Amino acid sequence: MGHGTGVASDEVFRVETHGIDTIPDEDRHGSPKDLFWLWFGSNLTFTYVINGALAVAFGLSFWQATAVVVIGGLAFFVVSAAGLSGIRTGTATLVISRAAFGHRGNLPAGVLNWIVSIGYTVVNTVVGTLALEAFFADAGWRAPGDTGRALALLVTLALTFVVAMWGHATVQAAEQWLAYGLAAGFGAFLVFTVPQADFGGTSAAGAAGAAGVAGVSAWSWALVVALSGPFSYLPMPADYTRYLPKDTSLRAITWSGALGGFISSVALGVGGVAAATRTDMTDAVAGAQSLLPGWFQPVFLALVLGGSVTNSIITLYSSSLNLQVLGIPWSRARTIVISATVTAVGSLAALFLTDFTSSLLSFLSLLIIVFAPWSGVFLADMLLRRCRYDAHALHAGRAGAYWYRAGFSPAGTAALLTGLVFALLTCDSELWTGPLVAPLGGADLTVLGSVVAGLAYWALSRRTGAPAPATSAH
């Protein structure tokens, strides 16, 4: 087969039998290069073209917007390094975060992360469905009424669900296989779009926006958009490293995963920046298409569909582990049916209730208020422990070291709340504007909630005794 793992519990095209249980040593397999393909393939998604275009719409020039795109790409080094916790413990990220927050204290973020995972899967499914519907039309097949759209949705959901349901090994193999075609296609997209860029200025829309926007707010909005993607991945890197052998090095996994996410997100982000300096990207797919030769436009629509599927596969897969963390006593292959069903319902609403998509995107953008502070505490805890955990206690509930007080870690809970308050005060989004935004000159400092929460956790841990590295990984 070429992609066989030799591990019966995690084989390509067979349903994976492990969930959030600790992966035993005899089932460990794979190498860091698997992470390159996972993060490279899953981030070859049109979302980054949209993010790059937004940076220009906020008023940044080509080179300023490109700098923001690069900063967003560098965040994958943090995401990838966080995967070391999965190698050490053999379990999922949202199990490991019990060490920072306590078993019960971990649940609210678990619920929100599941909602975010499903939300992003819905957004990607909708984008893929609309691209496939347009592809059908370009091919000359026009179905009566909404039949074409319904069929496109069914195909998009099926492509995502089947791969994610089979599990870890199939997810990794599919990301690699799809990456070959997507990388070639998006490479051609960049060849067509980047040379057309106005390297000296902003778009007309961006220039108009910049006239009434202070520079600091334009930069901060663009940075929030660029960093929200990597931040949304922080609750899942261990999901994809938990099978790696225990002697896999931190340097190897960090560079492999980070380069994958960095190359794809930055390349596509620069494509979006270039397109936005030349054409109206309010409707990003139509705007990008206007810069492409006619013969390439059906290929472009197939790329948008493929990118939406590769991204949805990993979010849907992680959501099934997430439901196990929340206490649903089903196998991973059964919990994923819940996630897939909710995704299908949400996608139907987004496609046939016109205001739903914009409302969903606004809601998802607001959730960085939670995930920036959560990420700060989780990463600070990982550093203080030197990524060494008592793997048994992570699953032991009341009987384990991570139960703390009534299931809550006082330091983790207080630090998270501190970061949340800071993020709420400094957030500038459609649904909420914090009272400190205006005094700060319009800057949105939500992402710094991670730094505030991390420093608060470090300070509180020093007072109460820093989390010590576990003496044993078991």
Side-chain angles (χ1 to χ4, degrees):
M1 188 182 299
H3 278 80
T5 65
V7 174
S9 59
D10 184 40
E11 186 60 272
V12 181
F13 301 137
R14 290 187 205 159
V15 176
E16 174 194 6
T17 56
H18 286 300
I20 61 169
D21 52 305
T22 303
I23 307 299
D25 289 351
E26 60 269 20
D27 284 354
R28 299 291 191 104
H29 64 87
S31 71
K33 76 174 189 302
D34 297 332
L35 298 177
F36 173 86
W37 291 110
L38 179 92
W39 293 110
F40 180 67
S42 63
N43 286 288
L44 284 168
T45 176
F46 192 71
T47 305
Y48 291 106
V49 176
I50 297 171
N51 290 354
L54 280 172
V56 177
F58 292 147
L60 300 184
S61 69
F62 176 90
W63 293 110
Q64 290 171 331
T66 296
V68 168
V69 166
V70 170
I71 291 167
L74 289 171
F76 279 101
F77 280 87
V78 178
V79 175
S80 196
L84 181 62
S85 58
I87 295 170
R88 292 274 175 81
T89 62
T91 191
T93 304
L94 281 168
V95 175
I96 299 162
S97 60
R98 288 169 175 168
F101 299 100
H103 279 251
R104 287 175 173 165
N106 194 51
L107 292 175
V111 171
L112 281 172
N113 185 66
W114 183 77
I115 292 169
V116 169
S117 296
I118 297 303
Y120 279 118
T121 308
V122 167
V123 171
N124 275 312
T125 300
V126 168
V127 170
T129 298
L130 295 176
L132 185 54
E133 183 186 24
F135 183 87
F136 288 156
D138 280 5
W141 185 74
R142 297 183 186 278
D146 290 320
T147 308
R149 180 170 290 190
L151 179 63
L153 172 61
L154 191 64
V155 171
T156 307
L157 282 170
L159 287 171
T160 305
F161 171 71
V162 170
V163 174
M165 191 270 297
W166 267 322
H168 175 265
T170 312
V171 167
Q172 289 202 314
E175 293 292 354
Q176 182 170 346
W177 295 334
L178 289 166
Y180 297 143
L182 289 172
F186 275 122
F189 167 76
L190 295 175
V191 168
F192 292 129
T193 53
V194 174
Q196 298 185 55
D198 176 0
F199 295 102
T202 65
S203 68
V213 175
V216 65
S217 56
W219 277 95
S220 67
W221 292 342
L223 281 166
V224 167
V225 168
L227 290 169
S228 60
F231 266 112
S232 72
Y233 288 128
L234 273 167
M236 62 174 76
D239 302 3
Y240 303 100
T241 58
R242 70 196 206 281
Y243 277 96
L244 290 175
K246 283 186 178 172
D247 59 358
T248 308
S249 77
L250 171 61
R251 176 175 293 183
I253 66 153
T254 301
W255 278 98
S256 293
L259 283 177
F262 179 84
I263 292 168
S264 48
S265 65
V266 170
L268 294 181
V270 170
V273 171
T277 63
R278 182 54 63 196
T279 188
D280 180 9
M281 291 286 283
T282 307
D283 179 340
V285 173
Q289 272 188 294
S290 70
L291 300 173
L292 302 172
W295 66 266
F296 188 74
Q297 292 186 14
V299 179
F300 170 70
L301 292 171
L303 292 172
V304 174
L305 168 64
S308 71
V309 169
T310 62
N311 198 258
S312 290
I313 285 168
I314 68 164
T315 52
L316 191 62
Y317 174 78
S318 284
S319 76
S320 65
L321 297 174
N322 195 333
L323 287 173
Q324 287 190 312
V325 174
L326 294 177
I328 293 180
W330 290 2
S331 69
R332 183 208 57 81
R334 288 179 68 194
T335 58
I336 205 167
V337 175
I338 299 174
S339 293
T341 303
V342 177
T343 298
V345 172
S347 300
L348 283 167
L351 286 162
F352 298 103
L353 304 174
T354 51
D355 292 336
F356 183 85
T357 306
S358 59
S359 301
L360 179 62
L361 284 168
S362 297
F363 172 67
L364 291 174
S365 70
L366 198 63
L367 286 178
I368 195 168
I369 290 174
V370 177
F371 282 105
W374 182 92
S375 303
V377 175
F378 175 70
L379 293 170
D381 182 72
M382 199 170 75
L383 288 169
L384 286 168
R385 295 180 193 279
R386 288 174 245 154
C387 210
R388 295 195 179 277
Y389 301 88
D390 181 337
H392 172 74
L394 290 170
H395 299 275
R398 291 174 184 271
Y402 304 133
W403 185 252
Y404 302 112
R405 294 183 191 170
F408 292 84
S409 161
T413 304
L416 178 64
L417 290 173
T418 303
L420 274 172
V421 169
F422 177 88
L424 280 166
L425 291 173
T426 59
C427 175
D428 185 13
S429 71
E430 282 186 41
L431 299 181
W432 169 260
T433 301
L436 294 184
V437 171
L440 289 166
D444 183 336
L445 302 181
T446 317
V447 292
L448 291 182
S450 59
V451 178
V452 171
L455 289 173
Y457 185 74
W458 175 77
L460 289 166
S461 296
R462 285 194 67 187
R463 285 183 59 121
T464 59
T471 54
S472 168
H474 292 282

